[in-house]
Amino acid sequence: MRLPISLDAFHLLHHTTYTAYTHAHLAPAAATAAVDATFGALAADWTYLLGKRTLAAHAWTELVCNAESRRRPLPHIPAGDPLGYDAHILTELGYSPSAIAEVTGRPASTIRYLLAPHPLPTSNLLPRPH
């Protein structure tokens, strides 16, 4: 069966990063299986997912689930905030905040905030529109 060209392109864009992330958490064979399971799950729902604005975020959540990185975080990375944990792992792997934002499907400003070397005061932030 031939994959849709859009899924093929998504795979091409994200496979390397997904593989690096899973290899940071799992043995090589298990890491490969986690990435394969992620793309298998995406392929099964691709037509539905393609219409979602949160496609990359959904795919990242699927990968994290398959990598079991929430159950077994790396000990040298603070695991308090799940997305912050992922951002720190990806930074260690050499990814920039904008690349991390793209692969996780989150705003770059959120990633930069999570990677800030110290807690930023929230008193000077603008309120979010409702």
Side-chain angles (χ1 to χ4, degrees):
M1 180 174 116
R2 180 91 174 114
L3 294 176
I5 195 161
S6 55
L7 177 57
D8 213 14
F10 188 87
H11 183 273
L12 186 64
L13 285 171
H14 297 286
H15 186 267
T16 301
T17 308
Y18 286 13
T19 300
Y21 182 86
T22 57
H23 276 266
H25 293 90
L26 302 168
T32 300
V35 173
D36 291 347
T38 298
F39 281 107
L42 294 176
D45 293 330
W46 188 249
T47 303
Y48 168 75
L49 292 171
L50 199 54
K52 307 286 270 173
R53 289 185 316 168
T54 58
L55 171 61
H58 177 87
W60 184 256
T61 300
E62 184 72 31
L63 176 77
V64 166
C65 179
N66 289 323
E68 298 184 350
S69 59
R70 300 288 183 261
R71 289 182 42 210
R72 291 180 275 162
L74 300 179
H76 66 285
I77 303 289
D81 178 84
L83 183 58
Y85 171 81
D86 294 342
H88 280 92
I89 293 291
L90 292 169
T91 298
E92 279 195 357
L93 294 171
Y95 292 92
S96 69
S98 58
I100 295 167
E102 184 178 317
V103 77
T104 61
R106 301 319 195 286
S109 58
T110 299
I111 300 301
R112 285 191 300 275
Y113 175 84
L114 292 170
L115 291 173
H118 53 79
L120 299 175
T122 57
S123 60
N124 64 347
L125 297 177
L126 296 174
R128 288 185 160 203
H130 295 282

